[in-house]
Amino acid sequence: MVTVEFVNHEGEKRQRIWRLMVSGIPGKIQSAVANKIFVLYSYNQNFCIWEFGTLLCWCIYAFVYEYFIFARENPDWYPAGLFLGCSSLGTPCGHGILAADPSAATELTDILRRLEKCGTAVEHGALHTEHRFSVLPSILYRYPQTSNYPSSNLETTPPLPSFRPIPSYQPAMFTPAPEPLHVLIVGAGIGGLAAAIALRRAGHIVHIFERSGLNNEIGAAIHVAPNASRGLLALGLDPVAARFVNAKKSWRAESATLKVFHEADEGYVAEKFGAPWWWCHRVDLHEALKALALGKEGQGTPAIVHLKHEVIEYTAHSGAVRFAGGAIAKADLVIAADGVHSKAVETVIGYPNPALPTEKYNFCYRFLIPTAEIAADPETASWTEGDDGRIKVIVTEGRRLVWYPCRNNEQHNFVAIFSSDDEIKNVEDYRTPLELSALLETYKGFHPSVLAVLKKARDIKQWPLLFRAPLPTWYQDKLVLLGDAAHPMLPHQGQGGGQAIEDGIALGMLLIGATTETLPSRLALYEKLRLNRASAIQHFSNAGQDEPEKIREAASKYMDADKVPKNPEEFFEFNFGYDVIHDAKLALQKEVPGWEVPKGFFESEPGRGTYP
């Protein structure tokens, strides 16, 4: 990597810095400006005194270098064109381009012509930063990733990726692979990353635009139930490295007396439903998903994340998004995975449908307490005895406390859900801490040993619980919804993240082999596969699994009324037993008879769910 300060042909400095990758034999880096920024790689070599001899030698060198050195060391690069610069006794006498990429040939030819008008001698190659051409003598290579943005002292916002076709590396004389879709995902959360992993494996080019600057998940811990974990395991996620905790026991009790009204051994879950049930810190899950989506390992071109890009407008028919700074990016498909307040919702359905606080259980507090602190206090130590993999739900009217371990049982995650009479804003405030006294006041009347644990809470976050009615459709033209943008859920079923993961895996599988021509029918399949199930679980999530009567009527709009769960075991069967991989496979086989999941899409054989 080199840093270059650009100077135009009149000697006027341009205060712009760009990091560039320059490959090939060291040569003189010159600069020139023609309303664009680019670097010239100039190299004089006198192989022969005749122009034909020079040209022949360069072609031989190009062939040897391409096939025996560069292609082996850089499998992600592919030839954008072959620049033949003729030189006799050090005197430039002409140029030509033989291109594998017609768009690259046109653009480079234009650059060379304008440089000649500036009086700049051009030999043997050019590097154009907007598309990251790397220069070799006689060969122009394009690298598929454009992740290195200019530094912050640029006068203007740099151009966004052009989303040109970027096929896998292959020599120019070979027939190129089918053109992949260029997919733009808005939101680098759990759902967006799950979609990026699956779409990458499907052979498509993925760019993720995230409004934050940290690219870190916010929150505490999360359930990953078998309906989601089966796909993540098959895609290569390592739960041991991510410090996930396997669910082993569940326990429910009344708040004041701790009288137990439900207790179960959940160790059977993995065997019955074909995949484990995990509790994990959201940051750990997020990091594991990022590694699969962005890392070099695995099939397909790694996805690229662009931080600090807030989308303020979607245009469905053209597959375009507009950012807060005014820049616009386009793609074959735009996936809105930017949460409950996504502006894509109104674009898709044609009218406002805001998420609003629920009538009951409209607020929650979230926090973590180290296991060691609970174990060290004689008043609370009993809560850690035999507590490996145990979830505890302590309830009273209008208040619930959900409590389970994460990070190898080293942390305990708490979700305190309650009904507030105060006016609830429909905007989350993740970063404003809450005073401990407010938590203790809300949960006064709970058993003294529970309150003793709550007194250890630090860094308490407050979270309004928002509900939005299920949507009539999830896509419009080139824009599709995913995760909380499509189906925000309350935490009572622990399925918010799981449903986003199901969405991502389903969409990625259904777009295997998809083209711009078949995209509409594949998006229709995605909606058919996902809308009713996710909408039913949206309604399930408005009440606890011990309160099925509160959701039966609403959920029956999206499933047979007699199949709406009536107890925790039936909720488990509906939520955990579903096999999105098998369902997506069946859906595609109806459209493409004989279709099978391509080798390499999954790293291991997925566990089989109980239905369909």
Side-chain angles (χ1 to χ4, degrees), residues 157 308-313 321-328:
T157 303
K308 296 183 179 180
H309 279 76
E310 180 183 2
V311 172
I312 60 173
E313 183 181 357
V321 297
R322 184 162 63 90
F323 301 101
I328 294 174

Side-chain angles (χ1 to χ4, degrees), residues 181-183 199 204 316-317 319 331-335 475-480 507 510-527 591:
L181 294 175
H182 290 263
V183 182
L199 289 164
H204 303 303
H317 68 86
D332 298 319
L333 175 65
V334 175
I335 300 173
Y475 76 99
Q476 178 71 31
D477 296 325
K478 297 179 179 180
L479 173 62
V480 66
L507 185 58
L510 294 173
L511 293 183
I512 293 173
T515 64
T516 53
E517 290 76 21
T518 62
L519 183 59
S521 64
R522 298 297 180 90
L523 294 180
L525 272 183
Y526 167 71
E527 180 181 284
E591 183 159 304

